[in-house]
Amino acid sequence: HALQVQEFRRPEFEVTTRASEGPHVVGGHVTVEVAASYFAGGGLPNADVTWRVSSSPGSFTPPNRGEYSFGTWVPWWERPEHAGETWRTETLEATTDSAGTHHLRIDLDGVTPPRPVNLHAEATVMDVNRQAWTSASDLLVHPSTLAIGLKTDRYFVQRGDPLPVDLIVVDLDGRAVPGHTVRMTAERLDWNRERGTWAERAIEPQDCTVTSAAEPSRCSFRTLEGGTYRITATVTDSTGRPNRTQI
């Protein structure tokens, strides 16, 4: 067993971070600030700062729209596909200014397929005595200013019965936004053996295009064969940023 014994060092300064006000949407940017200040008063100037920013899959349900599914719906009996996954991590070395602060600008890029993204911005500040303290801020990046919600009365139907799906387009505050084109596709998922391995493929696509309204709209799909069906709906905001929901 290897043991390391260190002397207790009383903290001499504190570190805080904060991000600019949201909501944050793909195509824009966010500014994150770290501030280091002595407990005795005054900022910590010319101190080393190490930024670490990581992105991971996120989720978002607009207020008062909990009866709809947004993003990729995951049954309770399955583990989310990207659970615990970190997509990308970037680091940056800097120093605080005369007031003990440093500002970092983060440009917000989108992902494919479009979905909300969690950003974790962490700053570690070290003083001349090699004492380091860390603070972090978390924020959510939306793929679009619009979100599309899907709802179906049943997730299990008999073969041959129609599969109706209700949809509604809302803004990030949950208010219905009419007048936007929504494209929905239903596909049956089938397993096929290719080159010695089994792979899932989507077959028999059915398309439905509707215009969003103040009230929910509906698409109905055929179920000529038994199996699992995947419903995908896509909407684009006024600046061309897409958002997608899938059940």
Side-chain angles (χ1 to χ4, degrees), residues 111 114-115 142-146 234-237 239-244:
V111 297
R115 66 173 301 167
H142 301 278
S144 170
T145 57
L146 298 179
T234 304
V235 68
T236 302
D237 67 11
T239 60
R241 293 172 293 202
N243 202 351
R244 189 188 79 163

Side-chain angles (χ1 to χ4, degrees), residues 94-106:
T95 56
T96 59
D97 59 15
S98 59
T101 63
H102 184 266
H103 297 82
L104 177 69
R105 168 174 163 151
I106 305 172

Side-chain angles (χ1 to χ4, degrees), residues 22 40 57 60 76 101 109 115 120 128 144 161 227:
F60 175 73
W76 61 267
T101 63
D109 299 328
R115 66 173 301 167
H120 179 78
V128 294
S144 170
D161 292 345

Side-chain angles (χ1 to χ4, degrees), residues 149-153 163-167 184 217-221 231 247:
L150 299 181
K151 179 176 67 173
T152 180
D153 294 334
L163 178 60
V165 180
D166 293 333
L167 65 96
M184 293 183 65
S217 305
R218 171 169 289 190
C219 283
S220 185
F221 300 101
I231 314 294
I247 61 175

